Amino acid sequence: MDKKHIKFMKEAIRQAKISLRQGGIPIGSILVKDGKIIGRGYNKRVQKKSAILHAEMDCLENAGRLKAKDYRKCAIYSTLSPCDMCTGAILLYKIPTIVIGENETFKGPENYSKKRGAQIINLNMKECKEMMRDFIKEKPGLWNEDIGK
Amino acid sequence: MDKKHIKFMKEAIRQAKISLRQGGIPIGSILVKDGKIIGRGYNKRVQKKSAILHAEMDCLENAGRLKAKDYRKCAIYSTLSPCDMCTGAILLYKIPTIVIGENETFKGPENYSKKRGAQIINLNMKECKEMMRDFIKEKPGLWNEDIGK
């Protein structure tokens, strides 16, 4: 596995853990352009009573208003496979590369993303799976709410 | 055309016009449950320097954290066909009905929404088209940024 991806995913995991410490859902995301982190975010459903601030959305929001050509040079990292909403945001801005920590806890529309031209790299990291397993065990209702279940 | 849909779309248009008066992008949205408006929103790219607050996203955010079973009873109204991101949010929460003002200015992934089980009702309203035509004529760059172009 590419060491660069692991390094960036570690930062996404760090974001997820910030959320966890705040009583939130432990999913983190970062946006990388030309090898540099230009956005960081984590799920803020609890913290901001938000229905839309999944980690990837929060990350894109924190990266600010970018030009279309800049998004095309980005990779977005998420500790968990992006849901329909986050996938949609990634497709809107045509971010070509999606690196995920795992997709066993939850799997978004990955085939659709690929069909629409995105590359998905699954790092299949134990740390990401365990983080979600422990969280869901403790707060299953909150998790279901987050994925519209 | 169902009079109820026109009535609710008028409120979405009112939201779009609030945005326009603030120097923003004139797209508005409302969320309706059991015949009552439970969320309102408009595009806040300019107002909040936001990359994610399209009208539908702002509307869902303003409606707050709802239960899955409540989203299933909703219709979302938007003055313009929802983009990939907003469509994704609608699919995440399984909102069954999407009522749009028009889809000539911009057409989101409507076939995909239908394949995923949503109903789309296009009111094809002249007022919505003219609002966007005038706006895009005046600020083409801002419009392109909003759709990732």
Side-chain angles (χ1 to χ4, degrees):
Chain A
M1 190 56 66
D2 196 324
K3 270 186 190 168
K4 171 189 71 178
H5 290 321
I6 299 286
K7 184 190 83 177
F8 286 131
M9 190 58 75
K10 290 273 183 196
E11 177 59 25
I13 292 171
R14 214 179 64 80
Q15 294 296 313
K17 287 184 175 169
I18 295 173
S19 181
L20 193 63
R21 281 197 298 277
Q22 295 174 349
I25 300 173
I27 304 175
S29 176
I30 63 163
L31 189 68
V32 173
K33 181 177 158 258
D34 298 327
K36 276 183 64 180
I37 298 176
I38 61 167
R40 288 171 169 82
Y42 52 84
N43 190 300
K44 296 203 166 82
R45 177 169 296 273
V46 171
Q47 294 92 327
K48 292 203 170 176
K49 300 189 196 344
S50 174
I52 65 168
L53 287 175
H54 276 190
E56 301 90 327
M57 305 300 290
D58 187 47
C59 172
L60 290 171
E61 186 70 332
N62 292 335
R65 287 171 53 183
L66 305 179
K67 289 186 195 313
K69 68 174 176 58
D70 291 327
Y71 285 116
R72 310 290 199 272
K73 294 177 196 161
C74 285
I76 189 161
Y77 288 71
S78 178
T79 54
L80 184 63
S81 177
C83 77
D84 280 311
M85 172 174 66
C86 299
T87 296
I90 293 165
L91 294 176
L92 169 67
Y93 290 123
K94 299 186 184 66
I95 297 170
T97 307
I98 307 169
V99 187
I100 65 177
E102 60 120 342
N103 67 7
E104 282 180 21
T105 303
F106 174 87
K107 190 176 180 181
E110 293 182 12
N111 285 335
Y112 179 63
S113 299
K114 288 176 196 165
K115 227 180 271 178
R116 293 282 307 274
Q119 180 194 18
I120 296 183
I121 299 167
N122 181 3
L123 303 182
N124 194 30
M125 286 170 75
K126 200 178 155 201
E127 187 174 1
C128 295
K129 291 180 210 176
E130 287 178 349
M131 196 162 58
M132 286 307 289
R133 185 199 58 200
D134 295 347
F135 165 73
I136 292 170
K137 209 170 164 184
E138 205 187 329
K139 296 178 179 172
L142 182 54
W143 169 237
N144 283 334
E145 183 193 317
D146 202 51
I147 54 171
K149 251 195 182 170
Chain B
M1 190 56 65
D2 195 324
K3 269 187 192 168
K4 170 189 73 177
H5 290 320
I6 300 286
K7 184 190 84 177
F8 286 132
M9 190 57 74
K10 291 272 182 197
E11 177 58 25
I13 292 170
R14 212 179 65 81
Q15 294 296 313
K17 287 183 176 168
I18 294 172
S19 181
L20 193 64
R21 280 198 299 277
Q22 296 173 349
I25 300 173
I27 304 175
S29 176
I30 64 163
L31 189 67
V32 173
K33 180 177 159 260
D34 299 326
K36 274 182 64 181
I37 297 176
I38 61 167
R40 289 171 170 82
Y42 51 85
N43 189 300
K44 296 203 166 82
R45 176 169 296 272
V46 171
Q47 295 92 326
K48 291 202 171 176
K49 301 188 196 341
S50 175
I52 66 168
L53 288 175
H54 277 190
E56 301 89 327
M57 304 300 291
D58 187 48
C59 172
L60 290 171
E61 186 70 333
N62 291 336
R65 287 171 54 183
L66 305 180
K67 287 183 195 316
K69 68 175 175 57
D70 290 327
Y71 285 116
R72 310 289 200 274
K73 293 176 196 162
C74 285
I76 189 161
Y77 288 71
S78 178
T79 54
L80 184 63
S81 178
C83 77
D84 280 310
M85 172 174 65
C86 299
T87 296
I90 292 164
L91 293 176
L92 169 66
Y93 290 122
K94 298 186 185 66
I95 296 170
T97 307
I98 307 169
V99 187
I100 65 177
E102 59 120 343
N103 67 7
E104 282 181 20
T105 303
F106 174 87
K107 190 176 180 181
E110 293 183 12
N111 286 334
Y112 179 64
S113 299
K114 288 177 197 164
K115 226 180 270 176
R116 293 282 307 273
Q119 179 193 19
I120 296 183
I121 299 166
N122 181 4
L123 303 182
N124 193 30
M125 285 169 75
K126 201 179 156 197
E127 187 175 1
C128 295
K129 292 180 210 177
E130 287 178 349
M131 195 161 58
M132 286 306 290
R133 186 199 57 200
D134 294 347
F135 165 73
I136 292 170
K137 208 170 165 182
E138 204 187 327
K139 297 177 178 172
L142 181 55
W143 169 237
N144 282 335
E145 183 193 317
D146 202 51
I147 53 171
K149 251 195 184 168

